[in-house]
Amino acid sequence: MGTSSLNWTTRIKLVFVQLSLIDWLTVLVVLSFGWLATQIIGVVEPESSSLMNLIPLFLSGAIVIGYCYRPSINKVHYSFIIPSSVRQSTTWITGITWLVIGLPLIVFLSVQQISSEGVLLSVISTLLLVLSATIVGSLCNHLPKQWGIPLLLLTLYWLLIINNLFVNNLTQAMLSNDLETQAIVLMIAVGLLGVIASIAEFTKPWQRQLETSRYVSISRFDSPMPSFTGMGSLLIVSSLRILRDKVFIIYFGSFIILLLSRILVNNWQINWLTIVGLTLAGLSALIITRLVKFSFSFLDKFSYLPIQPGQIEFVGYFAGLIIIAAISWIIIWGLFGVTGENMARLLAASLSGYGAGFLVGLSYRKINHLGVFDSFWRFMVQLLVFILVFIYSLQLPLSGATTSLLILMLLAMSTTCYQVSQSSATIKSNG
Amino acid sequence: MLKVQDLIAKVANRHLDGLSFKVEPGEVLAILGSSDSGKHELGQVLAGIHKTLSGEISINRYHLNTGSDKARIQLGYLPNPAPIEEFLTGYELLDLIGSIYHLAPNTRKERIQFLIDLLEIGPSVYSILETASPDVCQKVALASSVIHSPKLVILDEPTQMLDFNGPRLVGDIVKNMTNSSSSVVLITDNLELAQDLADNFLVLANGQKLIEGTMAQLLNQTHPHLRSLRGVMEKIDY
């Protein structure tokens, strides 16, 4: 017993020694966040129970433990001195405690807050948030993944506790200049970043469960099956390809600047629909051009792998569309409510960008190494898409012009989709 | 394991003409020849990148042309130059290729870790390949070609871009493969490496088989007093 006790003491000391400055900062941030959460609950729900106020503290504790004992991704970066069995046990205990006590508690409190009329809409909006965040989350690099567990707990808290207030607060924060509400929205935004990273981490085992049961060992290679897992991995890496692109960072930065300007500058005349539509169109064009480029280059470089062109095209064309659709839905829901006209406008903006971007993406196949010419014209076409979308989809009323543009873009997209599928199949069959 | 019968193919402007050979399980075949001999093109045809005009290639009893996916999954291939996705880390690329080969997540993780250790890649495997050194890129590509423990692996100039440790690391990979009864086709200009690792040799010239056999057979066919593969290659009349 004495040896065991000594070992435990030694181990705990060693853990504290191992914690770096960033670890301690994390603890500080997490505790501050918990305190801040308590304060904001007091503002949003002045009549909240003492039990509800305990939740941030519970979460803070769970977050700290979860962070310290987070599952290691690789041995090089996260080698704790504690034996892996102890670490795993602690992780399990934390997880089970959270699931058995924390989650039902939060769900219970959330349900109490949801009005009967808004239940369905709240559930849908949450599902959409989780869906889009999961998709985007699977694109993340290792860095956000390191922060996965603490951020997951925080964001679950934010999503569930103020679920029924989410849409209202988001809309109010964007349309008014109320700093308090804006602070809440910013908190949600921070929380979403957590969901982005952590849900992906947590759902990985579940996502792979089917694969694990079917492909237990290498010996099963004798009867190969279609590689659905390969497609999932392709989607992840092609999305990584987008996120690590400098152009994406420029687009993203521009959007953030627009967003912040709209929040901070009083009486700015540019409306939200224009900003969001513009961004969606650019994002659509950007995503699809990068995905098309990636799928082509991957097919060229790794043509000896047992993967079919159709699988790569799925990733390149349709997965991109799903991502855009998910993001669009969230923005439409959060900012404007679901009105037919707004939805049609943003859909037109997204699809225009997507279709035109797809056309641009085709140029990668024929014009690979033309340097300035390639980059310049690619940029110009994307700029043109921006302007067209700005003028036709957003500023003008929903008229024949907008509808025509939408039809044209849909036609262009479907035609080019067909053409590329055919050419890829032909190239593949000809070796 | 690999059986090539009367292979005729055209790759770019090079012809492969009537090639026939076999590689048994656990055996290493070195394909040698000058740069225009067609040895690299033969590797591409064996990997299924280019189709044959006639003849037959079967890998572990699966015909490459008819049952292409079944044959391809038995095969690992390191092209020359080695392909990489520059926006991914080495680990991510290995994980992707492992998943395409149907490796279960746990198996994939273990296998990647094993190869990282075997090839001495180190922490660089977690850096974006665009910024990684050519040495790391080559090691990652080498690891990706054997990540699924294929029945047959074709290595086209595996020591290219590697430092002085390259031949030793490639030797370790090859021995690891042959110990598990996998076959290896080694396409290389490094004659010392070929002599160290290969059981059989196939020398090509202008897309045709010039000479074939074990080291002893090659010596007998050229000059019995020669001791090295380099000496044999220098004596061959192209």
Side-chain angles (χ1 to χ4, degrees):
Chain A
M1 290 294 289
T3 311
S4 173
S5 169
L6 182 66
N7 283 343
W8 270 104
T9 317
T10 314
R11 283 172 186 166
I12 288 168
K13 278 182 184 171
L14 284 172
V15 166
F16 277 96
V17 170
Q18 284 291 305
L19 289 176
S20 63
L21 179 64
I22 193 78
D23 293 326
W24 289 112
L25 280 174
T26 305
V27 174
L28 184 68
V29 167
V30 159
L31 289 174
S32 310
F33 215 108
W35 177 80
L36 204 58
T38 317
Q39 300 303 306
I40 291 179
I41 283 175
V43 175
V44 177
E45 294 286 335
E47 297 173 0
S48 60
S49 64
S50 55
L51 185 64
M52 193 170 168
N53 286 330
L54 285 176
I55 291 172
L57 295 176
F58 168 80
L59 282 175
S60 302
I63 287 161
V64 174
I65 295 170
Y67 177 76
C68 291
Y69 295 99
R70 64 193 184 277
S72 62
I73 298 171
N74 60 69
K75 291 175 185 174
V76 177
H77 291 163
Y78 310 105
S79 55
F80 282 93
I81 288 177
I82 294 180
S84 61
S85 57
V86 176
R87 191 169 69 242
Q88 280 173 359
S89 306
T90 317
T91 310
W92 273 106
I93 289 167
T94 312
I96 289 167
T97 311
W98 161 249
L99 284 173
V100 172
I101 302 172
L103 200 58
L105 192 66
I106 289 175
V107 170
F108 174 71
L109 291 171
S110 302
V111 169
Q112 276 188 328
Q113 292 178 10
I114 296 171
S115 65
S116 58
E117 290 177 358
V119 171
L120 184 62
L121 293 179
S122 300
V123 169
I124 291 172
S125 65
T126 306
L127 283 176
L128 281 171
L129 272 171
V130 171
L131 176 71
S132 63
T134 306
I135 293 170
V136 182
S138 53
L139 323 179
C140 285
N141 199 355
H142 287 301
L143 184 65
K145 283 180 181 174
Q146 292 174 27
W147 298 66
I149 292 172
L151 289 174
L152 171 73
L153 297 176
L154 284 174
T155 48
L156 273 178
Y157 166 77
W158 283 109
L159 281 174
L160 293 173
I161 288 291
I162 50 176
N163 183 39
N164 59 327
L165 297 172
F166 175 73
V167 175
N168 285 337
N169 283 345
L170 191 60
T171 313
Q172 282 171 19
M174 294 298 179
L175 299 179
S176 71
N177 288 313
D178 182 4
L179 280 176
E180 188 178 297
T181 331
Q182 283 172 4
I184 294 170
V185 175
L186 286 176
M187 289 289 187
I188 295 169
V190 171
L192 272 175
L193 284 176
V195 175
I196 280 168
S198 49
I199 288 185
E201 280 297 298
F202 269 92
T203 53
K204 262 184 183 174
W206 175 72
Q207 289 166 358
R208 303 291 191 193
Q209 202 171 13
L210 179 67
E211 179 202 23
T212 312
S213 61
R214 287 174 68 183
Y215 305 111
V216 178
S217 67
I218 302 176
S219 60
R220 301 287 281 278
F221 282 4
D222 287 339
S223 52
M225 302 283 286
S227 179
F228 296 111
T229 312
M231 288 170 67
S233 300
L234 266 178
L235 173 59
I236 291 170
V237 298
S238 53
S239 307
L240 281 173
R241 167 75 180 76
I242 296 165
L243 288 180
R244 288 171 183 165
D245 199 308
K246 292 182 195 74
V247 185
F248 178 81
I249 295 167
I250 293 168
Y251 273 95
F252 187 70
S254 308
F255 176 63
I256 295 294
I257 289 168
L258 276 173
L259 212 60
L260 288 176
S261 306
R262 182 63 183 83
I263 291 172
L264 298 175
V265 178
N266 286 329
N267 304 320
W268 201 27
Q269 294 304 313
I270 295 178
N271 66 38
W272 284 105
L273 192 65
T274 307
I275 294 174
V276 173
L278 202 64
T279 306
L280 277 180
L283 197 63
S284 303
L286 180 70
I287 286 177
I288 193 60
T289 50
R290 293 311 187 266
L291 284 178
V292 169
K293 184 182 179 186
F294 171 76
S295 60
F296 283 157
S297 73
F298 189 84
L299 195 63
D300 286 342
K301 288 179 191 170
F302 297 93
S303 56
Y304 53 90
L305 291 176
I307 188 162
Q308 299 301 315
Q311 289 173 291
I312 297 172
E313 279 162 14
F314 169 84
V315 170
Y317 313 146
F318 301 111
L321 190 60
I322 290 167
I323 293 172
I324 291 164
I327 295 171
S328 306
W329 264 103
I330 298 304
I331 293 172
I332 290 167
W333 181 260
L335 287 180
F336 310 109
V338 188
T339 68
E341 186 177 336
N342 284 337
M343 197 188 298
R345 284 165 187 269
L346 287 176
L347 192 66
S350 295
L351 288 179
S352 307
Y354 191 86
F358 195 91
L359 288 170
V360 178
L362 294 181
S363 66
Y364 287 116
R365 181 137 232 179
K366 293 171 184 170
I367 313 167
N368 271 333
H369 303 291
L370 293 183
V372 177
F373 177 79
D374 181 23
S375 305
F376 175 74
W377 284 107
R378 205 167 63 221
F379 175 77
M380 288 303 289
V381 174
Q382 288 189 19
L383 195 64
L384 188 64
V385 171
F386 257 80
I387 294 165
L388 278 175
V389 170
F390 182 81
I391 295 171
Y392 288 103
S393 301
L394 302 172
Q395 289 296 308
L396 292 179
L398 190 63
S399 62
T402 318
T403 316
S404 305
L405 182 68
L406 179 62
I407 293 169
L408 274 175
M409 286 303 177
L410 277 171
L411 192 65
M413 191 172 74
S414 54
T415 310
T416 44
C417 247
Y418 175 75
Q419 283 175 346
V420 172
S421 306
Q422 289 300 306
S423 63
S424 291
T426 310
I427 288 164
K428 191 76 183 172
S429 64
N430 289 337
Chain B
M1 190 61 65
L2 170 67
K3 187 179 175 188
V4 178
Q5 190 68 43
D6 301 326
L7 170 69
I8 297 176
K10 186 184 176 189
V11 180
N13 292 323
R14 297 228 166 83
H15 290 266
L16 299 172
D17 196 6
L19 293 174
S20 299
F21 57 92
K22 279 201 300 188
V23 187
E24 299 295 338
E27 198 174 86
V28 180
L29 171 72
I31 300 180
L32 310 169
S34 59
S35 56
D36 59 350
S37 63
K39 60 181 189 292
H40 300 300
E41 288 76 9
L42 176 58
Q44 291 168 7
V45 172
L46 294 178
I49 296 173
H50 302 289
K51 285 198 170 180
T52 58
L53 295 174
S54 71
E56 196 176 271
I57 301 170
S58 62
I59 300 166
N60 199 22
R61 301 187 306 278
Y62 292 110
H63 293 288
L64 193 61
N65 289 342
T66 52
S68 193
D69 264 6
K70 288 181 181 178
R72 279 172 193 231
I73 213 160
Q74 318 282 334
L75 173 81
Y77 177 51
L78 174 72
N80 175 31
I84 53 156
E85 271 304 327
E86 59 271 17
F87 281 85
L88 298 178
T89 66
Y91 194 97
E92 286 163 351
L93 182 63
L94 291 173
D95 195 51
L96 168 67
I97 293 184
S99 74
I100 289 174
Y101 279 118
H102 307 285
L103 283 183
N106 290 339
T107 314
R108 204 157 66 213
K109 196 174 174 183
E110 286 167 14
R111 186 74 183 150
I112 291 173
Q113 194 57 54
F114 170 76
L115 290 168
I116 288 171
D117 295 339
L118 185 68
L119 288 170
E120 300 170 7
I121 305 177
S124 307
V125 78
Y126 300 106
S127 57
I128 304 280
L129 289 172
E130 188 182 31
T131 59
S133 65
D135 179 59
V136 170
C137 293
Q138 180 72 9
K139 285 178 180 176
V140 168
L142 186 56
S144 72
S145 67
V146 296
I147 191 167
H148 56 303
S149 302
K151 301 289 183 192
L152 170 72
V153 60
I154 301 166
L155 303 176
D156 195 344
E157 299 295 357
T159 53
Q160 198 175 46
M161 302 293 182
L162 298 180
D163 59 16
F164 63 90
N165 283 315
R168 175 177 60 80
L169 297 174
V170 171
D172 290 345
I173 281 281
V174 169
K175 281 169 194 161
N176 181 263
M177 297 302 296
T178 51
N179 286 342
S180 54
S181 299
S182 296
S183 307
V184 178
V185 172
L186 187 63
I187 301 168
T188 183
D189 288 326
N190 188 333
L191 298 178
E192 287 72 27
L193 179 77
Q195 186 172 351
D196 283 349
L197 297 176
D199 304 303
N200 285 305
F201 302 85
L202 172 66
V203 183
L204 300 182
N206 298 318
Q208 292 180 320
K209 187 197 296 183
L210 203 61
I211 188 169
E212 183 188 17
T214 61
M215 188 67 198
Q217 289 169 334
L218 255 60
L219 293 174
N220 281 335
Q221 288 177 53
T222 50
H223 198 292
H225 299 296
L226 291 174
R227 295 289 175 96
S228 69
L229 185 60
R230 183 170 295 281
V232 171
M233 294 298 286
E234 285 168 358
K235 284 285 179 187
I236 290 175
D237 183 15
Y238 293 97

